[in-house]
Amino acid sequence: MSDPRNEHVQHFLSLIEKARKGKLKVYIGMSAGVGKSYRMLQEAHGLQTHGVDVRIGFIETHGRRETQQLLEGLICIPRRTVFYKGKQLEEMDLSAILAVHPEVVIVDELAHTNVVGSKNEKRWQDVFDLIEAGINVITAVNIQHIESLHDEVRRLSGVDVKERIPDRVLREADEVVNIDLTADELIARLREGKIYRQEAIDHALNNFFKPEHILQLRELALKEVASQVERQVEVEVQRNAGLRHERFMACISSNEKTARSIIRKTARLAGYYNSQWYVLYVQTNRESAESIPLDRQRHLINNFKLATELGAEIVRTQSEHIAQSIVSEAIRRNVTTICFGQPRFQFWQALRRRPVLANVLRGIDGHDIDLIILAP
């Protein structure tokens, strides 16, 4: 049992540490063109009017006249020039921002992948460096770039989004604001050339910007912001009322696609409750280092990396008694919900030789542990 006094001490220390850091505000939208960059620049002007030292660390106007006009009167920290594969590229200058150390910095394109050789691989990591240095950051991202929503976005839009941010970026944000437009308003902006150049409009209308896709992405964005508010309320209620703290455990195999789906869905559940969660892999003799194919070993490593990026703690055990291992690990770690994939997954095909599910259900009886079967 954890000591309540120690929990209060840790909470107070976390408040002290957080006070030393910068604040993070994230504007989120259903797609490009809803006005995230425009809104950030409007806020920058408002802050500057009130005497706040605000700088533009990186902004992408995409040639939109209204957005470019808002840059007038704001101080931009010059970008750094990088030559990569024969091309001249411009990147946000993290070192320069840290040296200037403004009160607030505007950083667009949060999901951007930095050029090879940069201090960090991703821009969201740059943002975390700025926050650690005590600089407040206002940034923006589209809903399709959130890691745990990758499978759902690909299913509904047919687009495999390559640049993504871990869910914990939003969980650690002090404020998340949705920039919302109706589907008709967004399509009208697209037709007027306010989002893409004229030659790209027809392609966009026939692909990502179909009305049904926009409506579904809009719903995801609205739900994400609503869940952020609910998560904050949940944390305060649990802290003040002493309610049960949820802990999730995803059980995966070495199958890449099914495991990634289970990991992402469990991450969404854990994120909703702002809870600790685990990914459990029980290695049998058939999946020992000597027996498992190299491609499956690579899949496992990639899935463990994904789970870690989404905030999970990896648990690896070796046993021929899979159900017993699942139950013992769940009890040992005070897990409240165990997550499996559907029985048609290969993981279940390997388990059906013994009544694993029945043994897991029998093992968790009396321990206040739920079991969830996740659809693909």
Side-chain angles (χ1 to χ4, degrees):
M1 294 290 290
S2 59
D3 187 344
R5 292 172 299 180
N6 186 54
E7 289 184 4
H8 287 301
V9 170
Q10 291 300 322
H11 174 57
F12 184 64
L13 288 174
S14 69
L15 290 178
I16 293 175
E17 183 62 29
K18 192 172 184 179
R20 296 171 182 163
K21 298 179 180 179
K23 301 295 183 182
L24 176 61
K25 181 173 185 175
V26 180
Y27 282 105
I28 193 169
M30 58 184 167
S31 74
V34 296
K36 300 181 300 300
S37 300
Y38 188 88
R39 183 68 65 86
M40 286 195 297
L41 293 177
Q42 282 185 319
E43 185 165 356
H45 278 284
L47 291 169
Q48 189 169 264
T49 300
H50 286 81
V52 176
D53 179 17
V54 56
R55 307 292 176 99
I56 306 301
F58 188 95
I59 198 76
E60 185 56 75
T61 66
H62 296 287
R64 296 163 193 158
R65 188 176 66 257
E66 299 93 337
T67 307
Q68 287 178 323
Q69 288 173 345
L70 277 177
L71 281 171
E72 296 179 9
L74 297 173
I75 301 174
C76 296
I77 296 176
R79 303 178 185 182
R80 65 186 181 95
T81 301
V82 182
F83 289 92
Y84 181 67
K85 292 186 176 180
K87 294 183 178 180
Q88 180 176 312
L89 306 173
E90 289 187 339
E91 290 281 3
M92 184 178 79
D93 196 332
L94 176 62
S95 298
I97 299 173
L98 291 170
V100 173
H101 207 284
E103 290 182 68
V104 179
V105 65
I106 306 297
V107 178
D108 206 355
E109 304 284 349
L110 184 60
H112 172 75
T113 301
N114 294 329
V115 70
V116 175
S118 301
K119 178 181 182 293
N120 296 310
E121 179 185 357
K122 298 286 189 175
R123 184 166 291 160
W124 65 264
Q125 295 169 317
D126 294 339
V127 165
F128 275 26
D129 282 353
L130 295 171
I131 292 169
E132 287 291 333
I135 300 172
N136 302 297
V137 179
I138 300 174
T139 187
V141 70
N142 289 326
I143 190 67
Q144 62 264 30
H145 295 288
I146 297 175
E147 179 64 59
S148 68
L149 291 174
H150 177 254
D151 294 335
E152 192 166 357
V153 169
R154 183 170 54 184
R155 176 186 59 78
L156 66 89
S157 69
V159 177
D160 186 7
V161 178
K162 300 298 183 183
E163 295 189 314
R164 304 188 292 275
I165 66 170
D167 291 49
R168 69 182 180 90
V169 176
L170 293 186
R171 286 202 298 272
E172 295 186 23
D174 298 278
E175 188 176 1
V176 179
V177 179
N178 183 45
I179 304 298
D180 190 35
L181 286 179
T182 66
D184 290 341
E185 289 173 326
L186 185 61
I187 291 175
R189 285 180 56 81
L190 178 63
R191 292 186 184 279
E192 291 167 4
K194 294 182 177 180
I195 301 177
Y196 297 134
R197 297 183 186 277
Q198 196 66 38
E199 59 270 19
I201 292 176
D202 288 341
H203 178 76
L205 286 171
N206 293 324
N207 291 275
F208 197 82
F209 281 78
K210 290 181 179 179
E212 61 269 25
H213 293 168
I214 295 172
L215 288 172
Q216 290 171 307
L217 290 170
R218 186 187 186 196
E219 181 183 18
L220 287 179
L222 291 169
K223 283 182 176 180
E224 181 61 36
V225 175
S227 70
Q228 292 290 327
V229 176
E230 291 174 353
R231 187 153 46 236
Q232 291 175 351
V233 173
E234 182 78 17
V235 169
E236 292 303 317
V237 170
Q238 284 190 349
R239 182 180 296 134
N240 296 325
L243 299 179
R244 171 174 108 157
H245 291 277
E246 301 292 337
R247 283 191 177 89
F248 293 83
M249 186 171 74
C251 301
I252 68 166
S253 71
S254 57
N255 183 291
E256 180 188 29
K257 291 183 179 179
T258 57
R260 292 178 82 82
S261 176
I262 295 169
I263 289 168
R264 287 192 176 110
K265 290 198 172 192
T266 307
R268 294 295 294 174
L269 289 170
Y272 178 81
Y273 289 100
N274 195 32
S275 67
Q276 187 175 5
W277 66 292
Y278 308 91
V279 167
L280 173 65
Y281 169 62
V282 182
Q283 183 186 73
T284 63
N285 289 335
R286 283 180 298 174
E287 292 199 336
S288 65
E290 296 76 21
S291 304
I292 188 172
L294 287 176
D295 61 332
R296 286 189 174 268
Q297 290 187 37
R298 186 172 63 252
H299 294 335
L300 270 175
I301 293 171
N302 290 337
N303 289 335
F304 291 152
K305 180 182 177 183
L306 171 64
T308 302
E309 289 176 348
L310 289 174
E313 178 181 330
I314 307 300
V315 181
R316 299 182 65 167
T317 64
Q318 293 182 335
S319 176
E320 292 301 300
H321 306 288
I322 297 177
Q324 181 179 326
S325 295
I326 292 172
V327 173
S328 62
E329 291 295 340
I331 294 173
R332 180 186 309 169
R333 299 170 191 278
N334 295 318
V335 167
T336 58
T337 304
I338 299 173
C339 301
F340 286 106
Q342 273 190 347
R344 70 184 184 86
F345 289 167
Q346 184 174 351
F347 180 48
W348 283 85
Q349 293 171 358
L351 301 185
R352 280 187 300 187
R353 298 179 182 179
R354 293 188 291 273
V356 174
L357 180 57
N359 287 339
V360 169
L361 289 171
R362 189 178 301 114
I364 64 177
D365 184 39
H367 288 282
D368 195 20
I369 299 175
D370 299 323
L371 189 145
I372 294 179
I373 308 297
L374 297 172

